[in-house]
Amino acid sequence: MKQSLENFKDSYLFYSFKRDKIAMISFAILLVLVVVSFSAPLIAPYNPYDAETIDILNSELPPAWMDGGSTQFLMGTDQQGRDLLSTMIYGMRLSVLIGLGAVVLQAFIGISVGLIAGYIGGWLDNFLMRLADIQLSFATMMVAILISAIFQTVFGSSRYNELAVPLLVVVIGIAEWPQYARTVRASVLGEKGKEYVEAARVVGLSSTRIMFRHILPNTMSSVLVISTVQVANAIMSEAALSFLGLGMPVNRPSLGSLINAGFEYIFSGAWWITLFPGIFLVLLVLVINLLGDWLRDVLNPKLYKG
Amino acid sequence: MEPILDIKNLDVKFALRTGTVTAIDNLSLSLAKGERLGIVGESGAGKSVMGFSIINLIRKPGYIANGSIYFRGEEISRYSEEEIRAIRGNRISTIFQDPMMALNPVLTIGTQMTEAILAHMDMTQEEAERIALEKLAKVHIPAPEKRLNQYPHEFSGGMRQRIIIAISLLTDPDLIIADEPTTALDVTIQAEIMDLLIELCESEGMSLILITHDLGVVSEVTERIAVMYAGRVIETGPTEAIIKNPQHPYTQGLLKALPESRTPGEPLYQIPGMMPTLTDIPPGCAFNPRCPMRGEICITKRPEAAFADEHTGHMAACHLVSGDLAS
């Protein structure tokens, strides 16, 4: 353990990280956002899920530094009287959770399909990749809207509220797996012809073992790069769905549903309910994308910015 | 003595869009236990295809069209994938041309070695590691205990090739097929690796098939040579006989083309023309367009192998040897 930490300190990855200011700042911001959101019950001043602490009389209070603002609520309150800061912290936790969950699912489906299609080839490759093409020809949003809408009508909205998180993970996961499948397949095709694969066959290893033990680790750098981009995308998709009212319900708001909820009040002057979650969402997605950018430059030195 | 490997009338064909081409044409070879055989020829002569056909790993669209391969008395060319895998890497090992490429860059040497052992033998991780250490020591890798946890990029080219040889030795195979094992290495290391191979063959009683285009290397290592041209064996016999007294004009040309056989300052000799592509092998003797001794019969009739020296088993497929063409 100590040895691998030492190795990491000497590695090129860490070296280039130290030299890249944007990557360092992005990482710091991301770290703060993730730590804060995952320790929400400890940090947030109020619990937005606890109806007893919410007072409707506090609704639509402006941020503390404005006229009529209260020091109790640093960033003001939403239309139900919830502390906006607390709600945002909890909401961000949901957004990050759904984003990560969806990417894990995408990666699982996509990597398996890409690996099998690329390694085995032939009609199976054709079949799986056409499947991916078909999936890609449906816009992510369309698939997501369709599935959530059907789910809501079939199961009713109270059941839907309970299952909203896993459902969003599945919906976004299924809609985006072809990205992984294509990337992995392309890398597998490149690796398959290399001599070490031939050598592994000559040693008498089975195909499954060659696929998962020998080829898969060699495709990991591209998987890592698209994973960062995909996390950002998944968070955006979740926000967009929630904004359209098909994502997280209002009593358990994510950043997207907060923006949506505030949107109705924006012309009555309560701009903060929409603006603050919006800023947080942009910040979150931006730093993840910047980190992904840096990672791509490090792992693929042949690509230059320009 | 019963040969360990006996190839009889092997035909390997490739089904291309434009029709089938014959990459190996009626090849017969046999190899005794402990014997070292060299396969020599230009690029594209079918040397490597022959090597791969033994372990049934010819790349598609290639296939064995005819003939049989007996290994330890058993016909292995019709084995199922499952059956051949028990032999591949276990009884027959292969060493590749490029040591930079043949090791997986993301796995440690130890992992790659123990994996190869565990694929064929029923034993614990510790036992496998012990064997790996033993074999690394055998190929003269210093401090093998430390090396097991290192990655391929931490080794030099010569070291990597030794590791690959160590991997090929793991299961104490009966036969090693070395496909140009030293082409990617420089000359001093080349000699070291070759000495190592001879040493191992002699101490372990393994047979070796050395595929190369380097006659110098072959003459140092092997006991017997088979010269291939356009998919056929055109001359075979004891190494000494072939080097000292080549019968086929192609072998003579190859030997003449060695830089050692020229006086300094003069241009190097080369055999005129190119090896025919497999899609249009000329009628008669495949070598006839390039042959300095070509006669009428060479264009029309394909020569069959004939003894140049019955005692040593020196044979050549040339009309000059069979006596159909007067020199």
Side-chain angles (χ1 to χ4, degrees), chain A residues 196 198 203 209 213-214 218, chain B residues 59 89 101 104 111 115 120:
Chain A
Y196 73 84
E198 192 111 58
V203 162
R209 200 169 172 86
R213 282 281 283 173
H214 287 251
N218 280 296
Chain B
R59 284 219 188 115
M101 303 294 294
N104 191 331
T111 321
E115 185 178 58
H120 297 293

Side-chain angles (χ1 to χ4, degrees), chain B:
Chain B
M1 197 169 64
E2 168 122 333
I4 188 131
L5 181 75
D6 199 2
I7 303 176
K8 286 196 176 125
N9 307 94
L10 181 73
D11 283 347
V12 174
K13 298 194 173 175
F14 281 76
L16 303 180
R17 221 162 285 165
T18 47
T20 46
V21 296
T22 308
I24 290 183
D25 188 1
N26 198 12
L27 178 140
S28 297
L29 270 180
S30 84
L31 187 68
K33 186 169 166 47
E35 194 180 17
R36 301 191 294 272
L37 170 73
I39 309 277
V40 188
E42 280 172 271
S43 310
K47 307 180 304 267
S48 299
V49 173
M50 192 218 77
F52 279 116
S53 64
I54 295 173
I55 48 172
N56 220 336
L57 265 185
I58 312 169
R59 284 219 188 115
K60 280 198 170 132
Y63 63 98
I64 296 177
N66 218 336
S68 43
I69 300 169
Y70 291 94
F71 176 67
R72 298 197 299 184
E74 280 179 57
E75 225 283 59
I76 58 168
S77 66
R78 304 275 181 271
Y79 267 20
S80 70
E81 177 67 20
E82 196 78 18
E83 287 170 311
I84 192 79
R85 226 169 51 211
I87 289 181
R88 226 186 256 161
N90 187 9
R91 304 325 320 153
I92 305 178
S93 292
T94 308
I95 300 172
F96 282 107
Q97 184 168 2
D98 194 347
M100 307 296 163
M101 303 294 294
L103 291 167
N104 191 331
V106 300
L107 298 178
T108 62
I109 301 305
T111 321
Q112 297 190 50
M113 293 185 86
T114 50
E115 185 178 58
I117 300 174
L118 296 174
H120 297 293
M121 293 195 228
D122 186 24
M123 55 170 65
T124 63
Q125 184 74 24
E126 286 76 41
E127 284 173 301
E129 251 166 51
R130 198 181 46 75
I131 293 182
L133 285 176
E134 193 183 294
K135 301 298 178 189
L136 282 178
K138 199 163 258 171
V139 296
H140 310 306
I141 296 239
E145 310 79 36
K146 282 189 211 153
R147 297 305 199 163
L148 276 189
N149 291 323
Q150 291 185 331
Y151 288 90
H153 72 264
E154 299 176 64
F155 293 85
S156 69
M159 288 276 247
R160 272 188 245 183
Q161 191 60 300
R162 278 189 229 189
I163 288 166
I164 289 167
I165 293 176
I167 291 179
S168 73
L169 293 175
L170 286 170
T171 50
D172 298 315
D174 300 312
L175 170 65
I176 291 189
I177 302 169
D179 190 351
E180 313 221 4
T182 54
T183 318
L185 304 173
D186 61 51
V187 184
T188 46
I189 295 167
Q190 197 170 325
E192 244 172 69
I193 298 281
M194 284 305 165
D195 288 343
L196 180 66
L197 279 176
I198 299 178
E199 179 194 321
L200 291 168
C201 283
E202 275 167 6
S203 66
E204 316 281 308
M206 289 179 312
S207 312
L208 175 74
I209 294 181
L210 180 66
I211 298 172
T212 180
H213 54 243
D214 188 339
L215 274 169
V217 167
V218 156
S219 64
E220 282 164 32
V221 177
T222 62
E223 296 157 337
R224 228 149 46 82
I225 292 181
V227 182
M228 286 186 76
Y229 188 80
R232 310 187 96 204
V233 173
I234 51 141
E235 184 162 7
T236 166
T239 303
E240 210 187 322
I242 289 192
I243 301 288
K244 292 237 174 85
N245 186 19
Q247 295 296 316
H248 199 286
Y250 177 64
T251 320
Q252 289 164 1
L254 281 182
L255 284 164
K256 228 168 124 186
L258 286 178
E260 291 88 349
S261 59
R262 297 307 291 180
T263 37
E266 274 181 54
L268 295 170
Y269 174 79
Q270 65 180 57
I271 304 173
M274 298 257 288
M275 170 120 76
T277 52
L278 293 174
T279 43
D280 57 353
I281 292 178
C285 173
F287 187 59
N288 83 64
R290 304 169 71 184
C291 186
M293 335 269 246
R294 174 174 53 168
E296 201 64 43
I297 188 170
C298 300
I299 302 165
T300 52
K301 188 171 172 241
R302 174 161 289 194
E304 293 303 323
F307 279 111
D309 182 347
E310 208 143 340
H311 180 64
T312 56
H314 188 172
M315 291 176 98
C318 178
H319 290 304
L320 284 168
V321 178
S322 61
D324 292 336
L325 180 71
S327 51

